[in-house]
Amino acid sequence: MRLYLLPLLLFFLGQPVAEAQTNAGTDVEYKLPRRTLVLEKALIKLREEGAQLSYRPDQLPQLSLKVPGGKKSLGGWLSFLLQDTELTYQQSAAGYLVYPDATLPEQMLNVYGVVQDKETGERLIGAAVQVRNENRGVLTNEYGFYSLPVNGGNRRLRVTYIGYQPYEDQVLLRQDSTFDISLVPDRTLPAVIVRAAPATGAGLYLMDTRASIGREEVDRTAGLGGQADPLRVARLLPGVESGADGVGGIFIRGSESGHNLVLLDGVPVYNVNHAAGIFSIFNNEAIRRVDLYKDGMPARFGGRIGGVLDVHTRDGNLYDHRTSVSTSLLAAQVTSEGPITEGQSSYLVAGRYFWAGNVLRQASERYKQDRGRQGRIDYDVYDVNFKLNQQLGKRGRLYLSAFRGVDHYSNYTYATDTVTVLNPAGAVFRYATPRSRFEEVNWTNTVAALRYNHVFNRRLFGNFRLSLSDLSVDAAYERSDSLNEVNLPSKTGDIFSGRYGSDIGQIGLAFDGQYTLTNDSELRFGFEGNRHSFTPLLNSSAVPLSFHPELSSVSKTQAIEPEEVVGYASFSGAFRGVNYRAGMRLQWWINGTNYVNASPRLLLAGQFSPKTTWRLAFDRTVQSVHQVSSTVIGLPSEMWVPSTREVAPSTATQVSANFQQRFWEDWNLEVATYYRDLRRLVSFREGGDEENWVNNLSRGQGFARGAEFTLSRATPKFRGWLSYVLSQSRRQFDDKVNAGRPFDFRYGRRHAVKVFALYMPTPSVSLSATWHYGSGANYSLSRESFWLVDPTRLSDEDRLQTVDLIEEKNGVRLPANHRLDVNAQFEWRRAGGSRFGHTLDIGIYNVYSRHNPIYYDIQTDYFSRDEQLVANRDFIQVYLAPITPTLAYRLTFGRGGGKPGQ
């Protein structure tokens, strides 16, 4: 007879006796000494004290216990001694029996907690928490929280995260348990861009559709001037494009830059660029990681019809004060972080200033003088990140984060040429051709969030957010070109000018909940409420800027203030080997009329084999705010406008498939295909009077489709990939845009090849190289101009308009875009806990000096030919930079540190 059946037999045969002894035994106390005892030795001492106790020695674990000493009942001592074992006890007529708990492995329990960096206390997003040798695991969420359903008993818990030493420990689960885990950074392993879900694993792993970019890998691939930029690394991923050398924004799978949802700590950002896209507003020193979604959108993301960039900032070091001072050829920056109350609260402040603007000012003056012009370029940039976080009790944490970035750009050029013409009669005529150009753009980004997250219980995690986002832009542009006969009042010429302003604000309140069920299933749900404010202004004509209304005349009382209410839910689970996530997002947009839109989402994923995975996704998205660009003013004049009675929200439907095959241990092949259908797109119509933006919008549709092939390899010292993308993106609007004919999306590149390689011969040295090739962007090029008389204008100066003749919108393809960049990074830190660390980056931007055209400008020169005054128009290629050295240095103050006692 099995030993654990003995209590049941005694129960039925001697119930009255057992009850009597039970009542009597609870009054007897037994003494144990205060010392460390092996479990079996403690049980022997209890028997020596007279306790009626039975057990099998071969079932007892070799466990040492710190016994507090004193007297307790036998049940009290057994509860203490057996709490970290798989044993239980039961009282019978024969006394107390200690035996294995056969029901424990059948109980479904939850282990939950947070995963963090041991040195800094930073929560780690996307860390893998697994039960060793079982097909069960989860990834930590945006706040490092995890909840893993497991069977009771002894389980081997394993936690892994890129760039950290794996954590593994034996845990005994007798009830729902909290385990907060600290991972130790591994200096011997290079960081890696997590490109997609692993090819092995199960459950929620297969449905992780994000590509993640960490701070360390960005730091090792510095860009122009040595400036590390997360978006530069994002552009190296397949399906992500931009204009030449980053100018123009970021375009995900054929969508506009304004179609992307960009979040900074959960708050939408409406402009992500400094210097028109040469580098972004995201300071790498303040960034923890960036998650990019191209498909398989979780239901919590919405409001845009393109991709998602979810940017997370660092919390600040909880255990040690650290300061870093760095400079590159473009900017200087200072970052400071540290504990307010050690282990409980911390701060982070990071600021940048674009000091190269002073150099640009002087260089532009010399450049213009060498070409017979006057003027200069001014450009000033700074941004600041700030963050506080505070632990509230054992289950809550409060975050306050803020960002502010300011850009000021101006460019003034003036030149006068003199042309002498000899007519057939021998008369000499001299003409002066003064030309001037002025442009100015100012924009300010402000983002703030107050967040509180709370672990309600073993299964429910919630995050509350109060947010603010504001973008204010104003711009002015004037170009004049005249022809004056010297010493005579006669003059002909034209002036073209424009003034543009846009202010968009958003205040929001949101809740996001995560409820973990059993068997690899999860419920994610939440709501949002947002109040928007739009104040657009666009004015253009053939009069000097002094006649335009000042931007300050745009009053807040003219603002359009729509409201938005959103609710969403998604359920993740598995059925017969197929993992699924089904979600729904409902949006109610209120602005003069009501728009209610449903956005269903479905994701299916599975494995053909342990090394082969597949994924299918269906995403429908809705966008009620529209970014439209002026076709007149000639500056970066993207205006954000809301959906109204006349302008319905845009929608997109995307179907996609993904296949991954792992070869050997370190090679991976990924193939992805997609088709995206775009409806109710919005654009400015061509040649209209844009003072009334609603009346000058065109509606249209489009599509994007493509196939992406990526071969990647990952070893302890090498990370890299080679990708090729074949894609197409088209648009078609009403007859006010390109006469109603379809045309190619400007940044739709038919072919794109990208190479990324990172090699670390030692932990302190890293070498990186990136190369990309893309088909040239599509461009609307004016081959000639003509004069047009507008009888509706009041003044004579206004009636005569210069109109550029464009045969086909985006009908000219610019030359192919390709560039090679290399970088070497060296780190020094003395052994023995030195407080000083040094990092030096040396590289070359655009190694073979490729001139990738951003756009073509038209320059008019006058000269005498055959005794006539002739105007010659030349196309001037505008590009960013030839071969350029990159250099950056960072000095860090601070100890390695770590949580005390760990």
Side-chain angles (χ1 to χ4, degrees), residues 296-350:
M297 308 292 180
R300 66 182 183 274
F301 297 131
R304 303 292 187 276
I305 59 174
V308 177
L309 276 168
D310 193 11
V311 182
H312 309 273
T313 61
R314 298 195 296 119
D315 296 338
N317 198 312
L318 284 169
Y319 304 109
D320 183 42
H321 292 279
R322 294 184 181 179
T323 300
S324 68
V325 180
S326 62
T327 185
S328 69
L329 295 180
L330 290 180
Q333 57 191 42
V334 177
T335 304
S336 181
E337 60 181 309
I340 300 173
T341 301
E342 187 170 299
Q344 298 295 315
S345 59
S346 64
Y347 71 91
L348 172 73
V349 181

Side-chain angles (χ1 to χ4, degrees), residues 787-831:
W787 295 97
L788 177 66
V789 176
D790 186 354
T792 64
R793 300 282 184 168
L794 298 178
S795 67
D796 293 337
E797 289 184 352
D798 286 350
R799 289 177 181 173
L800 198 59
Q801 302 286 316
T802 302
V803 178
D804 292 329
L805 179 61
I806 298 175
E807 296 178 0
E808 187 76 22
K809 186 176 180 65
N810 296 340
V812 175
R813 184 173 289 276
L814 298 181
N817 186 312
H818 51 90
R819 192 185 73 241
L820 172 66
D821 304 329
V822 296
N823 188 72
Q825 185 181 91
F826 306 92
E827 294 182 292
W828 296 274
R829 181 182 285 273
R830 283 187 180 181

Side-chain angles (χ1 to χ4, degrees), residues 31-32 41 180 199 203 270 280-281 383 387 401 408 429 432 450 472 480 489 550 577 589 687 776 828 843:
K31 182 179 180 180
L32 284 180
K41 184 66 174 177
D180 292 335
Y270 289 92
S280 75
I281 64 172
D383 57 36
K387 192 170 188 179
S401 57
H408 169 75
F429 294 89
L450 179 65
S472 180
S480 64
E550 293 295 328
W589 181 266
W828 296 274

